[in-house]
Amino acid sequence: MLKKRPLLLLTLFTFLLESNVQSQNLDLSILKSINPQNPNSAFWKTSSSSVYFVSGGVAFGTLATGLIKKDKKLQINGCESLVSVCAGTFVSEILKTTFDKTRPGDKYPNEVFPSKQVHGRSFPSGHTTLAFATATTLALQYKKWYVVVPAFLWASSVGYSRMYLGKHYPSDVFAGAIIGIGAGYFSHWATKKVFKKYKN
């Protein structure tokens, strides 16, 4: 049995290595099917850049409105949004540093065509994290279809734009969405614990 263990470990390692290579190939293949040679769509560029304005606007706008109107619930909602985007950004940056994954445009310069060259870390997508953190927080706060549907359509468009513009792999975008959703739920849970008196 002891003699078989190295062979079993080698087989397992080979299987995991091949699986990783196949997943990387799939990641690249999906990205190439989305990213054109000249990604100059004004719509997708606007969608991508909107994340800072929308996420910041929702958080600071809600908080400012709550302070002006002396509305405690709006103040708490604003704080919840701030915690959500900050938590998502923190986790995203930690993972970027940990994995230190090369951007697709740098790794495959003849296959992926960024709208503008960015030499940073690829995994996960920070834009997507921010977008889904904001969308999730709005969905948990208001629970109305006319808030939830547009919020997640917008967040999804941000994620897609990052692939269209050649900035991120699909796995980067997927991870960013999961982190953003998790940050939204964490923030909602945390604010309910801290502000029990005011949260429903």
Side-chain angles (χ1 to χ4, degrees):
M1 183 67 182
L2 289 174
K3 291 181 180 179
K4 290 183 179 180
R5 281 185 180 177
L7 181 61
L8 287 171
L9 289 173
L10 181 61
T11 303
L12 178 61
F13 176 76
T14 304
F15 172 75
L16 291 173
L17 185 61
E18 288 178 355
S19 298
N20 187 46
V21 170
Q22 288 176 356
S23 65
Q24 286 178 347
N25 289 339
L26 179 61
D27 219 16
L28 179 60
S29 296
I30 294 171
L31 176 58
K32 286 166 64 176
S33 71
I34 296 170
N35 169 238
Q37 287 193 6
N38 185 24
N40 62 356
S41 166
F43 177 82
W44 294 119
K45 286 181 178 179
T46 302
S47 181
S48 179
S49 61
S50 72
V51 71
Y52 296 113
F53 301 105
V54 175
S55 295
V58 167
F60 289 107
T62 303
L63 182 58
T65 303
L67 290 171
I68 292 168
K69 292 186 173 183
K70 297 181 180 178
D71 185 321
K72 201 71 175 177
K73 187 168 179 59
L74 282 178
Q75 292 174 27
I76 293 169
N77 284 351
C79 289
E80 183 177 329
S81 295
L82 278 175
V83 171
S84 178
V85 297
C86 288
T89 300
F90 177 76
V91 173
S92 179
E93 289 303 313
I94 291 292
L95 291 175
K96 279 180 184 287
T97 304
T98 302
F99 286 95
D100 196 20
K101 186 178 178 183
T102 306
R103 294 265 185 177
D106 288 333
K107 190 168 184 178
Y108 302 101
N110 298 319
E111 298 179 77
V112 179
F113 310 98
S115 59
K116 182 180 179 182
Q117 200 65 45
V118 178
H119 305 290
R121 298 180 175 102
S122 184
F123 181 89
S125 166
H127 281 67
T128 309
T129 299
L130 276 177
F132 275 89
T134 301
T136 301
T137 299
L138 286 171
L140 291 170
Q141 287 175 348
Y142 298 102
K143 298 182 177 71
K144 303 291 185 181
W145 71 266
Y146 50 82
V147 174
V148 176
V149 173
F152 279 104
L153 282 176
W154 166 74
S156 299
S157 77
V158 171
Y160 185 89
S161 74
R162 302 307 289 165
M163 294 182 287
Y164 172 86
L165 297 172
K167 304 295 179 67
H168 287 285
Y169 296 99
S171 58
D172 302 338
V173 170
F174 179 74
I178 295 300
I179 295 165
I181 291 169
Y185 272 95
F186 165 76
S187 179
H188 192 67
W189 170 82
T191 51
K192 282 180 75 173
K193 290 289 183 184
V194 174
F195 300 105
K196 286 181 182 178
K197 180 178 177 181
Y198 302 101
K199 297 295 285 184
N200 293 326

